[in-house]
Amino acid sequence: MLTKKEIRFCLDEMGKMFPNAHCELVHQNPFELLIAVVLSAQTTDASVNKVTKTLFQKYKTPEDYIQASLTDLEQDIRTIGLYRTKAKNIQKLCQKLLDEYDGQVPQDLKQLMELPGVGRKTANVVRSVAFGIPALAVDTHVERVSKRLGFCRWKDTVLEVEKTLMKKIPMEEWSIAHHRMIFFGRYHCKAQNPNCLNCPLQSVCREGKKRMKGLKVK
DNA sequence: AACTCGGGGCA
DNA sequence: TGCCCAGAGTT
């Protein structure tokens, strides 16, 4: 695994590559962010942003989502993947917010993860972006980049990746580190094409060094 | 740990 | 038309 100093170097270089790395999900409040992130599971942020623009004009509160018919809500989000499941989850989620949290979005990780359609990644994004709570959301980009570079071990589970990153990265940098890894993974260190030949992290990257020797990168 | 759910974007 | 993208929930 890379040292803290090497990881810092990597994150700094990512910052130079993507100076505008930021959260692309538009949101005005925790509730809207929660809905947006639930919708974004297994789909691109761009697709979700198309839907939420009109969605948030039509639905303002948890009550609004519950009072709508399921088929109406499905139609309103039909252009994103898994829209039937997500429509159902959102109605159940809103009911739960009303029943248990007075219509407010909870900040507690376990309470968030008990909401339908909310897993660890979504919960951590909501905590970090909506509430400013230090949290590290591990999605496929963060996981892949962390494993390739050597921020963590290859065999680590998602949870182990999260724990390791939290240990190796200063808490006040979790948020920016998250966004830099997302951008680096999405636009440079892609799943199918790591682009090692043109990578400023080559000197420290585990997989990059292998690739330079002619070995195939995972 | 493996499998399932499902659209859009792109070649 | 077929491949790629990208989490939660269940068994």
Side-chain angles (χ1 to χ4, degrees), chain A residues 160-178:
Chain A
E160 288 168 337
V161 175
E162 183 186 322
K163 298 293 175 205
T164 304
L165 292 179
M166 291 197 303
K167 215 186 297 178
K168 297 259 181 181
I169 300 170
M171 193 174 74
E172 60 274 15
E173 291 170 29
W174 289 352
S175 176
I176 188 64
H178 166 79

Side-chain angles (χ1 to χ4, degrees), chain A residues 116-213:
Chain A
V118 179
R120 194 173 187 88
K121 183 256 179 179
T122 298
N124 275 328
V125 170
V126 170
R127 281 158 60 78
S128 171
V129 178
F131 298 123
I133 299 169
L136 242 166
V138 179
D139 67 357
T140 56
H141 294 304
V142 174
E143 182 177 358
R144 183 180 67 252
V145 165
S146 296
K147 289 184 175 180
R148 277 184 179 161
L149 283 166
F151 288 8
C152 63
R153 298 178 182 83
W154 263 113
K155 305 207 75 173
D156 281 351
T157 63
V158 177
L159 197 61
E160 288 168 337
V161 175
E162 183 186 322
K163 298 293 175 205
T164 304
L165 292 179
M166 291 197 303
K167 215 186 297 178
K168 297 259 181 181
I169 300 170
M171 193 174 74
E172 60 274 15
E173 291 170 29
W174 289 352
S175 176
I176 188 64
H178 166 79
H179 288 119
R180 284 177 180 172
M181 283 189 273
I182 298 264
F183 272 68
F184 180 67
R186 184 184 299 161
Y187 299 115
H188 185 96
C189 193
K190 300 178 191 177
Q192 314 299 333
N193 176 18
N195 198 5
C196 301
L197 290 171
N198 192 26
C199 185
L201 308 181
Q202 209 188 95
S203 59
V204 293
C205 178
R206 271 176 77 253
E207 292 302 306
K209 285 182 198 167
K210 281 196 208 165
R211 190 177 176 98
M212 288 306 116
K213 291 184 205 161

